[in-house]
Each structure stands twice: as structure tokens, then as C-alpha cells.
Amino acid sequence: MKKILLLLANGFEAVEASVFTDVLGWNKWEGDGTTEVVTVGLHEQLQCTWNFKVTPEKLLHEITLEDFDALAIPGGFEEAGFYEDAFSEEFQTVVRHFDERKKPIATICVASLILGNCGILQHRQATTFNHPTSKRLAQLESFGATIVNERIVQTDHLITSSNPGTAFDVAFRLLETLTSSENTMKVKDLMGFR
């Protein structure tokens, strides 16, 4: 069984988290059965970007990072307080743990800024929210990342993406990394993506 830590910051976008629970959940029941997602946060209740409240299964201090095979992080909004948790020392510790062990880390949209803030994107290719009106690409570049203007950028075990519209693709990319392309195509087909 491959355990995926779904790390949720206050102010995260619910749809960006739900793609991981759905794709990896479909795999658990309809694919090869090898993935299990555990939702984890710093607070007993988390506020999503659009006033949706979520209770994570575990608090960060209750888990053992060594028990997990991959890390998934949805993005969120500054106005909703996302970066308070996202740029915390606790989140940095988690990201560094997975990076040092070369375990898959999948981020959607501005969640890649968490990787940049940790210092692990120095001279690595990555992307983040790339709308022309946004300051986020420049912010990611200021963390030392080499910006690539693609929807999804995978560098070694790190997956970054450019906007919420990439969410399902990122979740499927993580599933393929953890299982196989054949299994991922099966899950995609069952979910109506083919």
C-alpha cells in the first residue's frame, strides 16, 4: 500500500484537494488498490478558500512522516490566509523530509511556492500560477526556481502546475508515478477521462 500525505493549509482550494482524494480513491477501489490518502493539517478544522470547512483526518504532530510514500499539496488564496500555514516551519519540515528522500511531491498552482519557500527549487525547473495579472511566477523565480511556461512541470520527483485547471492532470501524474501508466489509464477510463 502506498500512503499519500495530503497536506492542507488553511485557505486551501477545496477542488485542488479533492482531485487527489478522488483519483487516488478511485484507484484504491477500482484500480490496482495500492493507494491510500490521509488528510493532514495544523488545525482541527480548516477553512477553505470559499468558506467551506474541512476536518483533516490527522493533525501534523500526530503522524510519522516515514510512514508516507508521497506528498500532495493543493494551492490556495492569500486573502484566505493560505500562506500563514503554507510558509510555516511545520510545512517546510514536511517538504524537506520528502525532498531529501526523493519521494514524489505533487503541487497544484501556488502550492509550488511552498517548495520555493523551503529552498528546494534552487536551479530546478518549476511553474506556478501563471496568469498575466499575477505576481506568483516572479515570486517563484525569486526563490531560485527556473521558470518553465508549461501547464505542468515535472523535475525529478517534483510536480508543479500553473493553475487550478491542471488539478486532475497533476493527480493522474502522481498516480502514474506511484503505480503504472497502464493502471492510470484504467482509472482515467473508469472516471470518464478517455
Side-chain angles (χ1 to χ4, degrees):
M1 184 66 71
K2 304 248 174 66
K3 286 181 74 173
I4 298 90
L5 196 168
L6 181 54
L7 188 59
L8 304 175
N10 244 342
F12 75 92
E13 276 206 75
V15 69
E16 294 181 18
S18 69
V19 293
F20 291 116
T21 58
D22 272 30
V23 167
L24 298 163
W26 270 78
N27 183 65
K28 183 176 182 178
W29 286 357
E30 303 291 338
D32 71 5
T34 62
T35 52
E36 178 185 349
V37 177
V38 179
T39 56
V40 177
L42 294 178
H43 316 283
E44 290 184 8
Q45 189 173 66
L46 299 166
Q47 180 86 33
C48 296
T49 294
W50 314 118
N51 299 324
F52 194 68
K53 292 191 186 331
V54 170
T55 303
E57 294 165 88
K58 297 281 186 183
L59 295 177
L60 190 52
H61 72 267
E62 296 174 334
I63 65 166
T64 302
L65 294 177
E66 285 78 12
D67 293 344
F68 292 88
D69 302 288
L71 175 63
I73 316 175
F77 272 67
E78 184 170 11
E79 295 85 348
F82 176 73
Y83 297 104
E84 292 167 29
D85 283 359
F87 285 0
S88 69
E89 187 56 46
E90 293 93 336
F91 270 49
Q92 289 184 35
T93 299
V94 173
V95 169
R96 288 191 189 110
H97 172 89
F98 282 86
D99 183 56
E100 287 164 5
R101 288 155 183 79
K102 306 278 188 274
K103 292 182 178 180
I105 301 175
T107 64
I108 298 172
C109 199
V110 297
S112 61
L113 294 169
I114 299 169
L115 310 187
N117 185 60
C118 291
I120 70 166
L121 291 182
Q122 287 284 332
H123 312 296
R124 279 173 153 169
Q125 293 186 338
T127 192
T128 193
F129 186 58
N130 67 351
H131 192 273
T133 61
S134 175
K135 63 184 179 184
R136 298 304 176 194
L137 275 177
Q139 185 179 8
L140 188 65
E141 192 171 30
S142 77
F143 290 134
T146 302
I147 301 300
V148 178
N149 192 19
E150 298 286 341
R151 284 175 51 79
I152 296 174
V153 177
Q154 183 163 0
T155 303
D156 303 320
H157 58 285
L158 307 177
I159 303 168
T160 59
S161 83
S162 56
N163 57 63
T166 64
F168 268 110
D169 292 333
V170 170
F172 284 124
R173 180 83 61 104
L174 179 60
L175 177 61
E176 185 172 353
T177 300
L178 293 172
T179 63
S180 68
S181 54
E182 294 77 17
N183 180 64
T184 303
M185 291 307 288
K186 176 186 176 184
V187 174
K188 275 186 166 181
D189 181 55
L190 289 167
M191 293 183 74
F193 281 92
R194 285 184 58 189

